[in-house]
Amino acid sequence: MPAPQPHRLTEGGLIDRAQKLRFRFDGRTLTGYQGDTLASALLANGVRLVGRSFKYHRPRGILSAGSEEPNALVELRTGPRREPNTRATTIELYDGLDAASQNRWPSLRFDVLAANQFFAPIFGAGFYYKTFMWPTSFWEKVYEPAIRRAAGLGRAADAPDPDHYEKANAFCDILVIGAGPAGLSAALAAARSGARVILAEEDFGLGGRLLAERYEIEGRPALDWVDAAEAELEALPDCRIMLRTTVVGVYDGGTYAALERVNDHAPVPPEHEPRQRLWRIVAKRAVLCAGAIERPIVFGDNDRPGIMLAGAVRAYVNRFGVAPGRRAVVFADSADAFRTAADLADAGIAVAALVDARKISSPATQAEAEKANARYFAGAVIERVQGGHGVRGVTVRTADGEAERLECDLVAVSGGWNPSVHLTTHLNGKPKWSERLSALVPDALPPGMNVAGAASGQFGLSACLAGGEAAGAEAAQACGFTPKGRSFAQASSECDAASPIWQVANGRGKAFVDLQNDVTVSDVKLAAREGFRIPEHLKRYTTLGMATDQGKTANANGAAVLAGVTGRYIGAVGTTTFRPPFAPVAISAFAGHHRGPDFRPARLAPSHQWAKEQGAVFVETGPWLRALYYPRRGEEPQDAVNREVANVRNNVGVCDVSTLGKIDVQGSDAGILLDRVYANTFSTLAAGKARYGVMLREDGFVLDDGTTARLADDHYYVTTTTVNAVKVMQHLEFCAQVLWPELDVQMVSVTEQWAQYAVAGPRARDVLQAIVDPSFDISNDAFPYLAAGEVTVCGGTPARLFRLSFSGELAYEVAVPARFGDALIRKIVEEGAAFGIAPYGTEALGVLRIEKGHPAGGELNGQTTTQDLGLGKLLSAKKDFIGRFMAARPALTDPSRPSLVGLRPVNREDRLRAGAHLIPKGAEASAANDQGYVTSIAFSPSLGHWLGLGLLTNGPQRHGEVVRASDPVRNGDVEVEICPPCHIDPEGNRLRV
Amino acid sequence: MSDRTLRSISALAGIAAPGRYGKTEGEPGVIISELAGLGLATVACRKGQAAALSAKVKQAYGVDLPASSHVAQGPKAKFIGYGPGQWLAVSESLANETLAGDLMAKLEGLASVSDQSGGRTVLRISGPRARDVLAKGLPIDLDSRAFPLGSAATSAISHIGVQLWQADDTRSYDIAIFRSLTESFWRWLTASAAEFGYEVAPAE
Amino acid sequence: MSIGPGSAAQNGRMRYSLASLLANAVSGNRNWKPLWREPEPKPFYDVVIVGGGGHGLATAHYLAKEHGITNVAVVEKSYLGSGNVGRNTTIVRSNYLLPGNLPFYEWSMKLWEGLEQDLNYNTMVSQRGVLNVFHSDPQRDAYARRGNAMRLHGVDAELLDREQVRDLVPFVDFDNARFPVRGGLLQPRGGTVRHDAVAWGYARSADSRGVDIIQNCAATGFRIGQGRILGVETEKGYIAAKKVALTCAGNSTRVAALAGLRLPIESHSVQAFVTEGVKPLIDVVMTFGAGHFYVSQSDKGGLVFGGDIEGYNSYAQRGNLPVIEDVCEGGMALMPVIGRLRILRSWGGLLDMTMDGSPIIDKTQVDGLYLNAGWCYGGFKATPVSGFCFAHLIAKDEPHPYAAAYRLDRFAAGRVIDEKGMGAQPNLH
Amino acid sequence: MRINCPYCGERALEEFTYRGDATVARPTSLDPATEQAWVDYVYFRDNPAGLHEEHWHHSQGCHSWLVVTRNITTHEIIAVEFAGKGEGS
Ligand SMILES: Cc1cc2nc3c(=O)[nH]c(=O)nc-3n(C[C@H](O)[C@H](O)[C@H](O)COP(=O)(O)OP(=O)(O)OC[C@H]3O[C@@H](n4cnc5c(N)ncnc54)[C@H](O)[C@@H]3O)c2cc1C
Ligand SMILES: NC(=O)c1ccc[n+]([C@@H]2O[C@H](COP(=O)([O-])OP(=O)(O)OC[C@H]3O[C@@H](n4cnc5c(N)ncnc54)[C@H](O)[C@@H]3O)[C@@H](O)[C@H]2O)c1
Ligand SMILES: Cc1cc2nc3c(=O)[nH]c(=O)nc-3n(C[C@H](O)[C@H](O)[C@H](O)COP(=O)(O)O)c2cc1C
Ligand SMILES: [Zn+2]
């Protein structure tokens, strides 16, 4: 049976008392209402102690009512959905909510590490830089683990995030950020003009401060005005209101990142719905109406549960119908904050005193005090706080130096307000100091942004309404719309300039500047003493402002204290930099759909479905999934590969090579372009013929290789390696568009259009004859090695046929429109059965080419030259081509460069491994003797032992020499014999039969 | 010899079974159908032939080649600009490879034509929430003021290149994607459409 | 009680030790001294170092300590450590591939290992291991080639299989991934170092040896006579110098241009990210092999991570959304347990990206003007050795053997040090 | 960042691929005497902290190579043109 809500006011507030919600905190079952936050519900249940602080494990409560909260961080949810460091002040209460306090052991009330605070003098700012140095090895073994265990507040989930996240794009003329009075007015003015408007609001209701205050607009409760505004905006066709949506970052080109918490107010997201949605909003203009954040006053033990920002106190009383305490003291240095007294009194909460830090006593505030029948202390401060786990009383130092103790369980503090300038600085703008407000206000703004309301330093309600409207209208105008007439709503509440006291001098107890990171006044003093005298240094040395709240309630006070101890004018000490995100964002949200198998799309080859049916094992190659090998039942991988290779050498095999990049290059100057991008010549290639080619980068190293067929005088069919397909296409387009725009060349990728199969092996022609329509003669005379042409297959299907061989066997590549790819592979295998055909995968493909000594991936690594690869003879001396000049530099042609060799183990049983380094025989394995490395290896079923390709200093001159293949990371060290790269049919007779 | 002939299959075969998916309450927010058998070909203008090509296309296909990324609908085929001097020709009547053949014959010397009919999957995405689904991947403003009927765009959705054009004045869009990426695209599309409830219609 | 070796003349400056910590604690920490003075520039120095980042301050430290050159100023345009030394992801390692790099970075590891003693400052050198996971056989072989190169240079390297990786980082997505993890290359001695402390520690030591560290003092020009450097124009006036040394990281081309030099460098921005602090989750430094993501956990509990550079020339020291999304996609693909951790801050730094991805430590065509630049996204780990070798070059006018390959003329000659094989395209390195 | 492609209109950053300085011109001579020109073309850059003319490829769009004039300190884009004379291909 959950307890009643002892601190819930009998009436008032924007909560729905009809909807009671149950929730758990540290295992205790409690209740709250729809419309509560976890924080307001905890307070309603009289829970004040909600967490322990970072360093000293001090008891902490709830300071604020918004996303600036430094203290009330909890672990929300459990198991894989556990969310550490969740602000109790922003999480909407839902039925079944489960939260736990953090950073305490064994319990929240009794926490062993609370002992830390007694060592505070040692654990002062940066103490760790000065010790833990001896002995060196102890840092990793002893000190660091201890520090790491103590640090960090909550615990991360222990399993993958089970929820679904997504991203979305939105476009508008005007983005209004924040839906308080300024934001609503801005949105109204903008939307009325006909502009497309998005109004983004972090909270789950519109109104901003108006939800928390008892203001009036046009003589009626401000909330009526909010309802009317909402209704009108809803009705306007081009206005979109996005609740629970925080604009977290400003980026170039009017791009704004916003996080929509779609289902954070549900125990788990409903089926088919995401938990959160990351919006990328592109807006021509933005109006920032993010309001202002109240700042505390720094005094001794100012971190005790029950000490709360005055604005938050009003929010809990007025919006949530909660009594944050029974007997309150209001401590502030501006008239406006003392309104809190009236709100409390009217809610039936006793107000013990108004402690007014301003030097001269204020009749208005005096009156406030009398109305609330509270005592009034002018020119006074709170000097001490009684109570550990919660405030029990305070000691006031009066103007005439008397100390007076007051009973209370709630202290409402206000040291003034800081405009929320954060989003104005994301594009490097720096805010400027306002003397009038004693706060930083926006200065240089991101292009297209303007600021209104409290965010711009307009603190009066009328000013916010007018300012918002003006900014909205201005933005509309800038987008080419004509704003309708202005309304100039009049409102209660104006406010005076601030003269903050920042901190209570010589108080007692720890005076916290940054509550979450436990940075105290003495830390700031120590830092200054050690030379960290500007905010950026102070921050990094003390961690002030580096916690999850990014110092929203701490930075200003930090600068003030620093100014004090360094005897400088606060306006001159400067500030740290605000960076995105405005409020922390889950990594999942930025990843959206792209995780697990959907991290990146997978390109599936035309034969994929068929290969799956054959039980193929697939491998990722670049963006593609390719069949690695096709194991038969019970067959070991190596055996499968051996069989596939042998079958190509002895009978015939088929392999899907569709993943190669394929480019149709057409136009009367196509040949000229290819001559300029390839090291060798293509303009001389006869139509109906294919040729192997190499292209270089402009710096002279090899970029890519492949075969190109000339299908007609003005039509080449270029193939690239699978991995470089996109790069090469871009390169060709650069050459055609930028370097030689005068050429008549058109190119388009046809990689997807053609399903291309290599049919290789002595019986290849027999198979192809059954596929290619009889009208085409593919005999050796009619269609010799390196012939290419357009044919039809299987009764009329258009196809391209090439006599190419990567395997060194009699081989063809046949291509059909991809929609026939599945049918063709089935047909080839069906027709090939008679000739013993078997599919082979990329593994066998690799073995075959290594047996032939063709360079590929392992050798084309961007660090090699044509000469390194034994392709030097391809370089044409007759023409300029990309990379020609730089390729001629001595360093690239130096004969001692590691160049391509074949390798075979001296002891034929030995296994070779790629990545092993080549060391002269008898020399010790050391850097000095490192002469190259093994680039590719394969077990050659044809030869019955392992084979390799390698790059070796002076390689070609060293055939016959024996060297060590040293592989320390795999404890391998075998002797290998240097030989020519090609092991099978060096004369190339087989592929010409 | 019809038994020798090759059967064309859709990249969606075995992936997209017709039916109702995702949220089941109410009308489906999104309807997805494949446009199978279209003729698809890229047409790239030869150097200095722009005027001649336009004239020829006008005469042969009854459309003015769009100078920007727009759709020009003709009786036999539509031409969609996807780059300077480049168009994707799409046709129902001149199905599959026949379109490319027809274009090659008619535009000889004026344009470089490549058949693409085998290499693309074309989907029609319609229904009241079509735009909302696309917004989850497409970084382009589809509001009718920014993307009026007849507009086309080449972009990327979920790391997958797409060519997209508005099919008709109802909010339905045709999307062409590379055949090899069809399954990955489908995973994104269905995940994104689920919250609105979607219907997979039989291929047209 | 301190058992650290009493490092050279800490003149006046108080030593740090548990003892001094306790002593000061009792006296209310009132007696701590500033780590560095705030001097006005003198009219003349033997050496003026332009750029008060890690490399500039380390250079000052080693000039004084190794070569006895103490009439030195470090002029810094902003606050000390405001540059990349204060914004990098703190990874130190020597897992390089090419002979031009390996001995250099390994010497840096050795210097890190003794740095706390050398500086009498705890820079929190944490040798927790650097693990690069791989996802395919070709990638494994490439890492084997690298690991073997390391071993041949006497650097520690271990090639791990999938199960050994699982033992180290059980939370990695082994089962449901687009690019399954097949193993990894581990350098056990690699790790992290508290970045700011490196700047402060070197500054404190250099200052204590008499070096003037002058903040908010940008170099605005150079005086050159008959091809020889005469001094530096700064925001605080002209400073004459026998020798001027540039350590301006991301701004190298701008500053070098003031002396009429043109460099094989582009400036690029790169972002980094930190999450809310959590209890210990990941104990090594890890990089993803199928995307752009690397991560370590700071002692404060935040996951510090990053990915690819922005990819276009920039001096803005910030980034845009595509990279943030790309990095988080990589993170979720590699270790989906971090999904609900929240990023609390992102920031950017400014990189000198060279045409081969490797740095430059060399003289220039201006006599007495020395250049230390082009550290790309990997110069933090080099801070000690860079300062060490640069000091040697400045003092002796000849390159230190470890840095012998980092000459400017290597580009013209084609002796590039291109670890990735990407060619003259800075944003691909 | 958003780039206003003269063919496709304003598009998001991730649709484009960056190449670099567009002001360097490829030498036409193979004469060894032109080595310095080649070295400058391939390796050396001005990298000014202001306006920068640079090559971008609209790789997820129309495949045009563009010359974008951009302030690389503020990322403000001043102009975008086809790199090839007028028409992309
Ligand atoms: C986000 C990020 C992550 C990184 N991660 C790693 C990593 O994990 N591991 C690693 O090894 N490296 C990493 N790096 C790279 C590393 O930070 C840099 O290579 C290294 O810090 C550069 O040397 P530095 O410390 O001297 O540079 P900086 O600290 O940038 O020092 C250069 C200084 O020169 C000053 N300066 C510039 N112009 C002038 C002028 N005109 N007059 C006076 N002073 C001037 C600057 O203000 C700056 O303080 C990373 C970098 C970034 C940005
Ligand atoms: N008396 C004083 O000293 C004082 C000082 C400041 C403000 N105020 C009062 O507060 C009100 C200020 O009005 P206002 O409209 O300028 O501000 P507001 O505080 O009323 O509204 C700001 C709104 O913006 C939202 N928001 C903030 N950052 C956001 C983000 N990044 N993304 C999305 N939403 C975000 C907040 O949730 C809030 O609802 C006025 O009533 C004013 O009188 C008084
Ligand atoms: C290793 C490392 C860890 C960091 N951890 C935090 C952190 O916990 N909280 C925080 O606010 N910033 C953290 N930062 C970021 C800094 O606040 C700051 O953004 C960075 O030093 C760049 O400076 P700038 O943002 O002022 O330009 C960290 C930075 C680094 C390099
Ligand atoms: Zn474009």
Side-chain angles (χ1 to χ4, degrees), chain C residues 90-162:
Chain C
T90 76
I91 300 165
V92 301
R93 52 182 177 88
S94 54
N95 55 358
Y96 278 76
L97 172 69
L98 301 175
N101 283 328
L102 261 162
F104 179 81
Y105 287 101
E106 176 56 13
W107 179 237
S108 206
M109 284 307 298
K110 297 249 167 48
L111 291 172
W112 284 121
E113 285 164 341
L115 195 64
E116 274 126 17
Q117 319 304 330
D118 186 2
L119 299 181
N120 174 236
Y121 199 77
N122 186 357
T123 53
M124 304 182 191
V125 176
S126 170
Q127 296 182 282
R128 52 181 74 178
V130 171
L131 172 68
N132 311 109
V133 299
F134 56 75
H135 310 263
S136 68
D137 292 359
Q139 225 179 0
R140 178 203 57 214
D141 296 342
Y143 275 128
R145 176 191 172 197
R146 175 180 299 262
N148 285 328
M150 292 164 67
R151 293 284 280 272
L152 292 176
H153 280 84
V155 180
D156 59 319
E158 296 170 19
L159 196 68
L160 308 185
D161 64 24
R162 186 181 152 103

Side-chain angles (χ1 to χ4, degrees), chain A residues 39 50 60-73 85-90 293 307-309 312 316 515-516 548-550 552-553:
Chain A
V50 294
R60 290 292 168 82
I62 295 163
L63 180 79
S64 77
S67 63
E68 68 271 29
E69 177 63 27
N71 271 348
L73 307 185
N85 309 326
T86 303
R87 299 156 168 71
T89 50
T90 56
I293 295 171
I307 297 176
M308 199 179 275
L309 291 168
Y316 289 117
L515 289 150
Q516 191 174 151
T548 67
D549 60 324
Q550 291 287 286
K552 290 194 175 70
T553 57

Side-chain angles (χ1 to χ4, degrees), chain A residues 185 188-190 192 218 458 462-474 477 483-489:
Chain A
S185 316
L188 282 169
R192 281 173 185 154
E218 303 291 342
Q458 303 165 328
S462 311
C464 290
L465 293 166
E469 188 166 25
E474 188 278 334
Q477 217 135 21
K484 306 277 176 293
R486 310 272 303 273
S487 62
F488 299 107

Side-chain angles (χ1 to χ4, degrees), chain A residues 169 196 598 746 752-753 819, chain B residues 97 112 118 135 141 180 187:
Chain A
N169 301 283
R196 288 168 72 193
D598 296 304
Q746 299 77 40
E752 292 284 334
Q753 167 64 12
R819 64 197 186 92
Chain B
E97 293 78 23
S112 298
D141 186 0
S180 71
R187 286 175 63 91

Side-chain angles (χ1 to χ4, degrees), chain A residues 536 539-540 545-547 550 577 579, chain C residues 79 86-90 195 274-275 298 300 304 317 344-348:
Chain A
E536 295 286 16
K539 160 186 163 177
R540 287 161 176 80
M546 296 179 84
Q550 291 287 286
T577 311
R579 293 273 198 177
Chain C
Y79 62 91
R87 53 190 70 240
N88 73 84
T89 46
T90 76
H195 58 292
V274 62
T275 68
S298 83
K300 242 177 38 260
V304 176
Q317 216 174 56
L344 64 75
R345 189 172 175 101
S346 64
W347 64 96

